Amino acid sequence: MLKQYTKTTGKVGFALFFALFFTACSDGMLEGQEESNSNATAQDANMHPYDVNKHALNKVVCDPMGGGSNGGSQSGLKAELFYLDSSQPDYNRVGDYFQHGTKSTQELFFTDLYVPTRMFDTGFPSQTGEMIKDDQNNELIEYFALKFRSVLKLNPTDLEGDYELALLSDDGTIMRFTDIDGEQQVVVNNDGDHPTKMGCGEVVHFDHDTTVDVEIDYYQGPRHHISLIPLWRKVDANTRAEKECGKLGNHRFFDPNNNSKEKQTYLDMLLRGWQPIHASNWHLPIQEIYNPCVEGTNPRISDFSVQDIGEGVAIVTWTTDIPATSQVLVKRADGSEFVTTSDNVLRTSHRVVIDSEIDFGETYIFQGISISADMGKTLSRVIQETF
């Protein structure tokens, strides 16, 4: 069935952007926020183009399944993470994970969705290097689900026309589009426990001014293999039905024991016009403003130091080779942590005063965080201090 979806604009007006930006930046000094640097030069006084507090670096997970390619600041997909605990049954429908699972506080961002069949035993690395864990401090490698949201549209080099949609996944996945009435419609249903399986779906017409709000629901059941690739191909009246629809096997499309090497079955699909939906086709929902996982010019941090001045107050200082923001990641002995609030000023001399959440007799680990104007991110060396 051919379906037509809405034509809208996915751009944020400059007035709205700056209103959101200055609202976030105008609240003044907060506890744990760095002081203004009175010696800042005119160059250092520039403001970061985004509010870096929107996505705390210790709560952001970037391309946790690997294989992503870097896109622009408003490109990509955002995902919510849900997981089961050991007392819950082994659900075999993605909706059960959202209904019965625990929703994580982590924010997951993907620049792309291209995960050919591979072994899944590395967990979810966050931006700060820690592995993503559930509330019982267990690394997540199975029995979790992801709800992706993005906006799908053609890039300038894509041809307009009718596109057939499909999903390769292990385990279940459902793709939904929002129609012109604002209702979500299932366009590919590949749900259930199974090895890597090709689920084929609807045919949708795309022009260059067509934008579609997309939701992809995915879950990983028992461990050992994982895969997730949204696909499409341009079709016409002469296009033959895809013979791999409904076929499955963890060694059918890729070789998980050989760096996920493409098997001939998958290569033949590419020759028949199928292609993974490219990173340039995914765009963040308008309310996200920017993708914190974009790679940019990483500042070089030097002279990082922590000074205990008593009364539960710490002064943290460092310098960067290029203008960047100032934040500190503080980890407590019990494993909990927090990131101080940034004033979003780009500077090379950094000074953060932490005058709360520091208790006498306790040991803390400090790391400086600096983010450059093009979203390059650097963490300093670690300093441990007992107060």
Side-chain angles (χ1 to χ4, degrees), residues 24 262 353:
E262 298 167 335
V353 176

Side-chain angles (χ1 to χ4, degrees), residues 197-255:
K197 176 183 176 182
M198 185 174 185
C200 298
E202 305 285 354
V203 174
V204 176
H205 184 82
F206 279 89
D207 296 328
H208 280 122
D209 56 355
T210 301
T211 62
V212 181
D213 291 332
V214 180
E215 179 180 293
I216 298 176
D217 296 341
Y218 165 82
Y219 81 94
Q220 165 69 3
R223 65 179 70 189
H224 299 315
H225 294 94
I226 185 172
S227 63
L228 176 58
I229 305 177
L231 301 132
W232 60 3
R233 64 169 175 170
K234 191 173 180 298
V235 297
D236 57 30
N238 297 318
T239 303
R240 294 183 178 180
E242 175 53 52
K243 64 181 182 179
E244 291 299 321
C245 290
K247 301 290 181 63
L248 64 153
N250 279 327
H251 293 267
R252 185 175 186 85
F253 305 97
F254 301 93
D255 185 352

Side-chain angles (χ1 to χ4, degrees), residues 4-9 152 178-182 205-206 209-213:
Q4 178 74 46
Y5 286 83
T6 186
K7 300 178 181 179
T8 61
T9 177
L152 181 62
T178 301
D179 64 21
I180 58 176
D181 298 319
H205 184 82
F206 279 89
D209 56 355
T210 301
T211 62
V212 181
D213 291 332

Side-chain angles (χ1 to χ4, degrees), residues 120-277:
F120 190 77
D121 55 7
T122 57
F124 281 68
S126 73
Q127 282 263 289
T128 57
E130 299 292 328
M131 303 306 293
I132 299 303
K133 301 176 182 180
D134 63 19
D135 293 342
Q136 289 73 45
N137 211 36
N138 301 309
E139 292 182 3
L140 284 173
I141 60 173
E142 59 186 345
Y143 301 115
F144 64 86
L146 295 164
K147 183 179 287 292
F148 298 91
R149 290 187 174 91
S150 188
V151 176
L152 181 62
K153 56 185 176 181
L154 300 180
N155 65 45
T157 62
D158 291 329
L159 297 176
E160 296 182 330
D162 300 333
Y163 283 79
E164 183 181 5
L165 300 162
L167 291 164
L168 278 175
S169 70
D170 172 359
D171 286 291
T173 313
I174 296 175
M175 178 187 286
R176 296 179 175 88
F177 282 6
T178 301
D179 64 21
I180 58 176
D181 298 319
E183 300 292 331
Q184 284 193 329
Q185 304 292 337
V186 174
V187 291
V188 185
N189 189 338
N190 200 27
D191 204 2
D193 281 354
H194 51 70
T196 304
K197 176 183 176 182
M198 185 174 185
C200 298
E202 305 285 354
V203 174
V204 176
H205 184 82
F206 279 89
D207 296 328
H208 280 122
D209 56 355
T210 301
T211 62
V212 181
D213 291 332
V214 180
E215 179 180 293
I216 298 176
D217 296 341
Y218 165 82
Y219 81 94
Q220 165 69 3
R223 65 179 70 189
H224 299 315
H225 294 94
I226 185 172
S227 63
L228 176 58
I229 305 177
L231 301 132
W232 60 3
R233 64 169 175 170
K234 191 173 180 298
V235 297
D236 57 30
N238 297 318
T239 303
R240 294 183 178 180
E242 175 53 52
K243 64 181 182 179
E244 291 299 321
C245 290
K247 301 290 181 63
L248 64 153
N250 279 327
H251 293 267
R252 185 175 186 85
F253 305 97
F254 301 93
D255 185 352
N257 299 320
N258 187 19
N259 297 316
S260 302
K261 184 178 180 180
E262 298 167 335
K263 301 288 287 287
Q264 192 60 47
T265 299
Y266 182 76
L267 294 174
D268 289 343
M269 286 170 49
L270 299 181
L271 293 175
R272 293 194 293 274
W274 288 102
Q275 58 181 317
I277 298 177

Side-chain angles (χ1 to χ4, degrees), residues 336-355:
S336 62
E337 61 187 27
F338 66 92
V339 174
T340 61
T341 304
S342 174
D343 63 4
N344 290 301
V345 173
L346 295 167
R347 51 170 67 91
T348 55
S349 296
H350 306 266
R351 183 173 185 265
V352 178
V353 176
I354 305 175
D355 57 5

Side-chain angles (χ1 to χ4, degrees), residues 301-323:
I301 291 179
S302 58
D303 302 322
F304 181 70
S305 68
V306 178
Q307 181 182 3
D308 174 10
I309 65 173
E311 302 297 328
V313 178
I315 296 179
V316 186
T317 59
W318 68 94
T319 60
T320 52
D321 61 328
I322 59 175

